[in-house]
Amino acid sequence: MIKNYFITAWRNISRNKVYTIINILGLSLGVTACLIIYLITNFELSYDTFHPGKERIYRIVTYLQDPEGRNNAIAGAISVLPMQVRKELTGLENVTGFYNYFPKIIIPTAGNTAKKFDAPKEGEETSPVVVAEPQYFSIFKYQWLQGNPSTALNEPFKVVLSELEARKYFGSIPLENIIGKEVIYNDSLRVNVSGIVKDWNNNTDFGFKDFISFATVQNSFVKNDIDLKNWGMWSYNSQGFVKLATGVTQAQVEKQFPQFVKLHLSMPPGMKVKLLLQPLADIHFNNRYNDAYSRQVHLPTLYALMAIAAFILIIAAINFINLSTAQSLRRAKEVGVRKVLGGSKASLTIQFLIETLIVTIIAVIISVIVTNPIISSFRSIIPKGVVLHFFSPAVLVFLVSIIIITALLAGFYPARVLSSYLPVLSLKGQGSQKLNRKSYLRKSLIVFQFTVSLVFIIGTIVIANQIHFILNKDLGFNKDAIITIHTDYNNPITQLGVFANKVKQIPGVTLITRHQQTPASTRHSGTVINYKGGGGVKIDASFDICDENYVPLFGLKIIAGRNILHSDTIKEFLVNETCSKALGFKKSEDALGKIVQVGINDAKGPIVGVVKDFHSESLHAPIVPFFMASQKRNERGVSIKLATQGKQLDHFKNTIAQIERAWKIAYPNDKFEYRFFDQTIANMYDKEQKTAQLMNTAMAIAIFISCMGLFGLATFTAQQRIKEIGIRKVLGASATGIVAMLSKDFLVLVVIALLIASPIAWYFMHLWLQDFAYRINISGWTFLLSGSAAIFIALLTISFQSVKAALMNPVKSLRSE
Amino acid sequence: MLSLQHVSKYYQAGGNKNIVLNDISLEIDEGEFISIMGPSGSGKSTLLNVIGMLDEPSEGYHYFVGNAVHQLKEKQRSALYKQYIGFVFQAYHLIDELTVYENIETPLIYQDFKGAERKAMVADMLDRFQIVGKKDLFPAQLSGGQQQLVGIARALIAKPKLLLADEPTGNLNSKQGMEIMELFRKLNKEDGVTIIQVTHSEKNAEYGSRIINLLDGKVDSSRKF
């Protein structure tokens, strides 16, 4: 019996290739979306859930309130705070402090070639190195492969490594031989390995691998970085963790904080400090507290994703239902015959469910195959570490339940409807009569799907326009064919001179400038400018420190006065128009020669020139007062203008290779890292690019799903009206006329969808654009274009069925068997 | 074998009652070969469907091999007709997705015959109808006469006592029609299958042992040979 079901199911599936392909594609789309979102949520929700006693582990965090009432949340602490907490507060089983450290690492080897590892960039990368108190290992449990957890970090100049890190440093020698070996941090901090722990396999934000003993701090230059005397310095890198004693509540500990604050922290008037405990489980999801190692996930976004996944799957299933019932006319005869031959309703239901099951299984197989490639092509939006491991039990359970749920969801209704046909009616060819009533439901579904599609289409167009706008807007400076290199602050400034002189001689280089930042940067520093004359004005301003080539190289336009001269100390200023106006000068010329004082070491000097306004920040923000001054020792970056006569990337490569050789001579120990300036600017809009990518994907999915629904409905209608079409043709209707007649009804649906979608899309895109100080207007043609695109896509979808129906020989459709 | 007493069937169409069968009483014995005739719309097919339990009468009593059909539940009715009745249609109504072999086998599957048993029965039937060579073909690959042959083989596979045929030769040419009629006669005489057929053709009707003429839902005349 079952075998027979499978044979029939398979033949039905393979005979109706178009339906089957659409159904399978639709379902695989739904399942893939579900699967990927499941993997993401599963991944994120599993962060740091494996620590023993995790519900008792908390981080000490701080709220600072300044006199203006602004709250500032700090994930870090004062370096010495955890130790004091341990001494004074009650109800704590353990307290530990640890400090994120960003050192270069050298592993001395027997030969001359020491292994070197670059320092992670603070603020951009996480560092595997922490300086930790021994209590760290009482709160976070590791499996110890070598060394003793209770003593390993007690002495100065000791380090505990994770197994992988030890292997990376020392290769595959036996672990016991690694104990006692030397690791050198930041060139001169020599420490010995005193323990090796097994790496955690679970997802964690605490992926540290080098644990330097805390006792090292007092006995080495590290005490300059980790200040244990000062109670006034809050640092992101200083972390304090506590584990509550069993039975003690968070509130009981937090109650002791105000007294503690009063005792140790003397704040300036108006400043308020509040210490709080943040649960371990909150760290991965709370983005108010920034630190140097954890990655935050927005929990509502995660929930929204889950809802979207369920939604996509349901829509795909509904489309499946639509397509299956659309075929009901053909299937009705089979049902009638089977009933006459003795088939019961139950057996027919099972038969149809098996058909759905096969389609679902094929869809799931396709999903499993494409999931990993899709994940890797969306790496920029999907967190690293999200991968489909097919054989993991959680995934298998998920897949099996998805198969069952989808098969039932998509198969039950058609199975019920089809199996309940009365044989007398269906054998006479009236099988689908009872489905007429439901066409309103189908039509609303199509309108709904197209509304969603149109919102996404409009959104995609607006976002693409805005991105095109910001990337092509005249920013007031040149950004093409310029590369920027930043040098390490620890190098003597004279070396930069050596490097710059060498670069100047390279034929492919037009100009070179030294500066702190580039004209557009997310990291311009700010200070105050004070103009004492004419009533006196004091304003906030951004600034850049640069030499005299800065203005010509970046193509800034001086509209009054002259360029600055290169000097060792700040002597004179070049300001932008906005700054000149903010200082109270009506005309740019009025500013020339006026003496101003800035907040950088109270430097004083005249304004020598005014430049035309340019965008010193991303286009999210308006132009702010900005000035430029020269101060040699702070000019640590260089920008190099490449000659563009060849304009070929090959040509640039050649020049850059020569620059690299110059770099190696000036900075033999440092890595050569450069960035194209236009790329740096594009990176400012990374978030927008990701949004665009997400929108494109969502649009493609929405359009595909809508077309599937529309195709189902078109098929259904064409079949239903087959007799009418036949009669119209006999009476002289042309094929074009019939295609028009069939298409008209659907186009009305798309137009309704456009009317609903337009205000919704306008509202959301308007909100999104508010984030930009410089933005496009959403014009009417955006909606027209989206509408035409949707109509075109809809027509294309319908035409498959309507043309077929229109070309059909009326003799065939009118013949009654 | 079966008995209809005062059976009526009507549909409510708008405000009008559309009467299809009007107070029909009928006795049919085992071994009879009955032809139902009458003009279009006289209720022939409906009568056949009522007899075959595909349709329920609006009024009246229906007895079949000792059971009061009008009192039975859907499930019992289905069990009863699975056991006793085979159907043949004018449009053959073979399942397009199944081969000849599988089409013939299907009723056995629904009646829970074992695999080996099914195999033997189907092989026997293919042999008897001389369509062994066609067993792996699909309906679309057969001529109309061959399709109807398969339809009859399928109707007979579960050894029914009663064969109901709704214009079995309606879509066939006269030679094919004659062959089918010869086959019916043989089934009736040699195997003792009771046959009720609906037909338009006087010639085909004469193969039967009794002709019932319907007019406007009533038995107009009935003659035995």
Side-chain angles (χ1 to χ4, degrees):
Chain A
M1 187 110 133
I2 291 290
K3 188 183 145 212
N4 188 276
Y5 287 159
F6 274 102
I7 290 175
T8 337
W10 179 247
R11 288 204 187 126
N12 260 310
I13 288 168
S14 52
R15 281 214 181 164
N16 299 291
K17 290 209 177 62
V18 179
Y19 285 103
T20 308
I21 289 171
I22 291 176
N23 267 334
I24 288 180
L25 281 183
L27 277 182
S28 352
L29 187 75
V31 172
T32 310
C34 252
L35 186 57
I36 292 178
I37 290 172
Y38 167 78
L39 290 173
I40 294 176
T41 45
N42 205 20
F43 176 78
E44 300 292 9
L45 294 178
S46 72
Y47 260 70
D48 290 306
T49 50
F50 61 94
H51 304 288
K54 59 178 186 292
E55 61 289 337
R56 289 190 283 131
I57 301 176
Y58 292 83
R59 174 161 75 176
I60 303 172
V61 293
T62 317
Y63 256 113
L64 281 181
Q65 199 182 52
D66 63 18
E68 281 86 46
R70 276 179 299 212
N71 270 324
N72 196 0
I74 302 174
I78 295 163
S79 307
V80 70
L81 191 139
M83 274 139 273
Q84 212 59 37
V85 165
R86 179 160 51 228
K87 273 186 216 150
E88 295 178 17
L89 301 198
T90 58
L92 302 173
E93 185 181 296
N94 259 307
V95 180
T96 185
F98 72 84
Y99 308 89
N100 297 101
Y101 196 45
F102 296 78
K104 295 191 267 197
I105 298 163
I106 298 173
I107 310 297
T109 47
N112 287 327
T113 50
K115 272 195 204 172
K116 286 182 187 172
F117 300 92
D118 289 317
K121 289 205 190 91
E122 197 168 344
E124 287 179 38
E125 297 168 284
T126 57
S127 169
V129 185
V130 290
V131 178
E133 292 189 284
Q135 287 85 346
Y136 184 86
F137 292 112
S138 310
I139 294 181
F140 297 103
K141 301 290 185 191
Y142 282 87
Q143 185 192 338
W144 284 72
L145 302 174
Q146 290 294 326
N148 185 339
S150 54
T151 59
L153 289 185
N154 286 355
E155 289 166 45
F157 304 110
K158 296 290 177 204
V159 65
V160 171
L161 297 177
S162 84
E163 188 186 8
L164 290 180
E165 195 79 337
R167 290 280 173 237
K168 185 172 129 195
Y169 291 165
F170 303 105
S172 54
I173 59 171
L175 288 180
E176 61 262 32
N177 295 353
I178 294 177
I179 295 294
K181 291 240 179 219
E182 194 177 53
V183 180
I184 304 171
Y185 294 99
N186 269 349
D187 296 328
S188 58
L189 183 67
R190 292 166 179 270
V191 297
N192 297 315
V193 179
S194 63
I196 296 173
V197 295
K198 203 162 172 51
D199 293 85
W200 286 328
N201 288 324
N202 313 61
N203 297 327
T204 178
D205 280 319
F206 299 85
F208 307 122
K209 293 173 170 170
D210 303 46
F211 306 89
I212 301 173
S213 69
F214 184 71
T216 314
V217 176
Q218 302 288 39
N219 298 296
S220 71
F221 64 85
V222 183
K223 61 174 175 271
N224 300 328
D225 290 325
I226 302 172
D227 189 342
L228 294 178
K229 298 207 176 74
N230 191 344
W231 274 92
M233 184 71 186
W234 301 84
S235 164
Y236 288 124
N237 291 339
S238 292
Q239 297 281 312
F241 275 79
V242 301
K243 189 171 187 180
L244 307 186
T246 29
V248 174
T249 65
Q250 183 182 351
Q252 282 172 323
V253 176
E254 283 179 336
K255 218 165 54 190
Q256 306 172 51
F257 279 141
Q259 182 59 31
F260 181 85
V261 168
K262 214 185 245 172
L263 205 61
H264 296 286
L265 297 164
S266 58
M267 301 305 292
M271 285 285 261
K272 279 184 205 147
V273 176
K274 210 168 152 195
L275 291 181
L276 292 167
L277 291 181
Q278 181 192 21
L280 180 66
D282 189 50
I283 290 178
H284 194 60
F285 302 104
N286 191 341
N287 58 8
R288 250 179 322 183
Y289 300 110
N290 286 318
D291 57 41
Y293 55 94
S294 70
R295 182 176 59 84
Q296 270 75 35
V297 185
H298 194 221
L299 209 50
T301 309
L302 219 51
Y303 291 142
L305 271 180
M306 287 190 222
I308 289 172
F311 188 68
I312 292 179
L313 192 64
I314 288 172
I315 294 277
I318 291 177
N319 275 332
F320 188 99
I321 292 169
N322 257 343
L323 280 171
S324 322
T325 42
Q327 294 185 79
S328 56
L329 209 64
R330 203 179 47 77
R331 297 307 292 273
K333 187 191 125 191
E334 184 194 333
V335 171
V337 174
R338 282 185 181 274
K339 283 202 155 179
V340 169
L341 297 180
S344 64
K345 207 167 156 175
S347 68
L348 283 162
T349 307
I350 293 173
Q351 186 196 328
F352 286 116
L353 279 178
I354 285 178
E355 238 175 87
T356 322
L357 189 69
I358 293 178
V359 171
T360 314
I361 289 174
I362 296 175
V364 167
I365 291 172
I366 293 178
S367 302
V368 167
I369 294 170
V370 300
T371 294
N372 275 337
I374 289 181
I375 289 178
S376 53
S377 66
F378 283 90
R379 260 297 159 238
S380 58
I381 24 185
I382 297 175
K384 228 173 165 178
V386 175
V387 176
L388 175 69
H389 296 291
F390 180 64
F391 291 105
S392 86
V395 168
L396 285 178
V397 167
F398 177 77
L399 287 177
V400 169
S401 30
I402 268 239
I403 289 175
I404 293 170
I405 291 171
T406 315
L408 285 179
L409 209 63
F412 195 69
Y413 175 74
R416 291 299 290 186
V417 170
L418 286 171
S419 64
S420 63
Y421 283 156
L422 290 173
V424 180
L425 290 182
S426 57
L427 289 179
K428 280 181 186 162
Q430 300 167 342
S432 62
Q433 271 183 346
K434 60 196 318 195
L435 285 167
N436 288 356
R437 282 178 279 125
K438 279 167 185 124
S439 81
Y440 270 114
L441 186 73
R442 286 155 199 275
K443 283 182 179 167
S444 341
L445 188 76
I446 299 291
V447 169
F448 173 72
Q449 288 174 339
F450 265 86
T451 305
V452 175
S453 300
L454 276 162
V455 169
F456 281 124
I457 295 175
I458 296 169
T460 306
I461 294 179
V462 172
I463 291 177
N465 274 337
Q466 174 68 10
I467 289 181
H468 183 262
F469 170 76
I470 53 185
L471 290 184
N472 292 284
K473 186 178 180 351
D474 179 14
L475 298 172
F477 52 81
N478 292 334
K479 58 182 180 178
D480 297 323
I482 296 172
I483 64 169
T484 305
I485 306 162
H486 287 281
T487 66
D488 197 306
Y489 260 79
N490 295 328
N491 292 315
I493 191 70
T494 47
Q495 260 173 295
L496 190 60
V498 173
F499 175 63
N501 281 331
K502 288 220 176 300
V503 170
K504 265 181 216 158
Q505 291 156 16
I506 297 171
V509 170
T510 318
L511 203 57
I512 176 165
T513 175
R514 303 195 219 168
H515 51 67
Q516 200 167 39
Q517 298 295 338
T518 44
S521 166
T522 47
R523 297 177 177 209
H524 285 302
S525 311
T527 181
V528 289
I529 302 189
N530 200 347
Y531 172 52
K532 291 210 170 106
V537 199
K538 193 173 179 182
I539 56 164
D540 287 322
S542 286
F543 67 91
D544 204 350
I545 301 293
C546 59
D547 67 6
E548 75 283 6
N549 287 337
Y550 190 81
V551 168
L553 188 137
F554 289 110
L556 302 179
K557 287 189 191 67
I558 295 179
I559 51 174
R562 61 167 173 85
N563 196 354
I564 43 168
L565 300 172
H566 200 194
S567 65
D568 289 339
T569 55
I570 298 176
K571 282 181 184 150
E572 50 189 27
F573 301 98
L574 195 56
V575 300
N576 71 353
E577 286 173 279
T578 307
C579 181
S580 141
K581 281 197 191 103
L583 287 172
F585 305 113
K586 288 216 172 62
K587 282 193 288 179
S588 301
E589 286 75 15
D590 298 345
L592 299 178
K594 300 291 189 309
I595 306 290
V596 291
Q597 188 177 31
V598 296
I600 318 165
N601 300 327
D602 292 332
K604 221 183 228 181
I607 295 174
V608 297
V610 179
V611 293
K612 199 169 182 319
D613 272 340
F614 61 94
H615 293 275
S616 60
E617 291 174 42
S618 82
L619 295 178
H620 289 290
I623 292 175
V624 295
F626 194 87
F627 70 85
M628 284 151 273
S630 182
Q631 187 187 31
K632 205 170 177 184
R633 70 185 156 85
N634 273 326
E635 295 158 13
R636 296 290 182 156
V638 292
S639 284
I640 301 165
K641 174 86 176 164
L642 306 176
T644 48
Q645 71 271 30
K647 274 188 183 166
Q648 294 302 314
L649 209 59
D650 280 354
H651 185 79
F652 284 165
K653 268 188 191 152
N654 186 20
T655 310
I656 290 168
Q658 292 182 57
I659 295 172
E660 186 171 3
R661 277 199 288 277
W663 175 267
K664 281 287 164 220
I665 295 167
Y667 299 101
N669 294 321
D670 290 0
K671 220 163 110 188
F672 177 67
E673 276 177 310
Y674 68 91
R675 281 205 182 135
F676 275 98
F677 185 43
D678 53 355
Q679 195 54 49
T680 310
I681 291 172
N683 286 348
M684 285 183 182
Y685 307 106
D686 196 36
K687 207 178 97 200
E688 282 70 30
Q689 307 269 20
K690 280 181 184 172
T691 311
Q693 198 186 357
L694 263 182
M695 281 303 262
N696 287 341
T697 315
M699 180 182 74
I701 292 176
I703 289 178
F704 182 79
I705 288 176
S706 317
C707 287
M708 227 176 87
L710 191 60
F711 184 82
L713 187 62
T715 313
F716 183 71
T717 320
Q719 279 185 2
Q720 251 191 342
R721 298 173 73 173
I722 203 153
K723 206 157 198 168
E724 179 198 338
I725 294 165
I727 294 169
R728 281 177 190 272
K729 283 197 87 173
V730 170
L731 296 179
S734 69
T736 346
I738 285 171
V739 171
M741 177 190 85
L742 286 174
S743 307
K744 201 183 67 201
D745 291 356
F746 297 113
L747 292 187
V748 170
L749 300 183
V750 178
V751 171
I752 294 175
L754 180 65
L755 292 180
I756 301 175
S758 296
I760 298 174
W762 182 85
Y763 174 74
F764 281 113
M765 291 333 291
H766 182 71
L767 270 189
W768 183 77
L769 285 172
Q770 294 310 304
D771 204 18
F772 294 90
Y774 300 90
R775 53 184 180 253
I776 54 164
N777 289 315
I778 307 177
S779 58
W781 68 262
T782 308
F783 300 100
L784 281 180
L785 185 74
S786 311
S788 332
I791 286 173
F792 176 74
I793 293 166
L795 272 181
L796 212 64
T797 315
I798 304 164
S799 64
F800 186 81
Q801 284 303 324
S802 53
V803 169
K804 199 169 99 183
L807 294 180
M808 193 175 235
N809 185 353
V811 176
K812 246 185 189 167
S813 54
L814 291 181
R815 187 189 63 190
S816 59
E817 287 180 314
Chain B
M1 177 175 212
L2 81 98
S3 150
L4 299 181
Q5 288 167 16
H6 307 292
V7 163
S8 294
K9 172 90 187 167
Y10 40 78
Y11 299 101
Q12 210 70 35
N16 301 333
K17 214 186 205 180
N18 188 4
I19 300 173
V20 189
L21 296 179
N22 192 355
D23 193 22
I24 287 185
S25 295
L26 197 62
E27 296 285 334
I28 294 167
D29 296 327
E30 203 164 340
E32 278 197 282
F33 184 168
I34 292 175
S35 304
I36 302 176
M37 296 190 70
S40 288
S42 59
K44 306 183 296 287
S45 293
T46 309
L47 179 61
L48 199 69
N49 285 338
V50 167
I51 293 171
M53 299 175 211
L54 295 182
D55 218 346
E56 279 179 73
S58 314
E59 275 172 24
Y61 306 100
H62 179 191
Y63 299 94
F64 184 75
V65 287
N67 298 292
V69 177
H70 53 271
Q71 288 173 346
L72 294 181
K73 293 211 178 73
E74 165 89 38
K75 235 183 187 156
Q76 296 163 307
R77 233 179 358 235
S78 161
L80 194 63
Y81 100 47
K82 263 202 256 185
Q83 195 186 344
Y84 287 103
I85 301 177
F87 250 99
V88 175
F89 304 92
Q90 176 182 5
Y92 330 128
H93 285 330
L94 300 179
I95 299 174
D96 297 332
E97 280 74 29
L98 299 183
T99 61
V100 167
Y101 183 97
E102 288 158 354
N103 260 296
I104 297 174
E105 187 190 23
T106 305
L108 297 178
I109 292 174
Y110 286 128
Q111 292 183 36
D112 296 329
F113 280 88
K114 292 268 175 306
E117 221 176 330
R118 290 205 303 260
K119 223 169 174 174
M121 289 165 85
V122 176
D124 196 38
M125 192 58 75
L126 288 168
D127 201 32
R128 185 164 150 203
F129 282 71
Q130 295 169 354
I131 44 176
V132 179
K134 306 218 161 26
K135 73 179 169 65
D136 291 326
L137 299 182
F138 287 95
Q141 298 166 295
L142 300 175
S143 75
Q146 288 167 336
Q147 286 192 48
Q148 192 58 294
L149 220 49
V150 175
I152 295 168
R154 186 179 66 181
L156 294 174
I157 187 72
K159 303 207 164 50
K161 292 275 185 306
L162 175 63
L163 185 67
L164 301 176
D166 193 351
E167 299 200 42
T169 61
N171 285 6
L172 303 177
N173 62 34
S174 56
K175 184 170 166 284
Q176 290 170 327
M178 221 162 73
E179 283 168 6
I180 297 290
M181 279 303 124
E182 287 297 336
L183 179 66
F184 273 18
R185 176 181 278 166
K186 208 169 126 210
L187 283 169
N188 179 247
K189 290 266 161 14
E190 294 175 13
D191 301 306
V193 178
T194 311
I195 296 175
I196 305 176
Q197 68 164 344
V198 165
T199 181
H200 277 297
S201 148
E202 195 73 38
K203 204 173 114 211
N204 288 348
E206 282 164 5
Y207 280 87
S209 57
R210 173 152 58 131
I211 296 177
I212 297 172
N213 269 301
L214 288 191
L215 189 64
D216 298 334
K218 284 185 168 171
V219 178
D220 186 47
S221 69
S222 172
R223 56 199 160 109
K224 271 191 183 177
F225 297 103

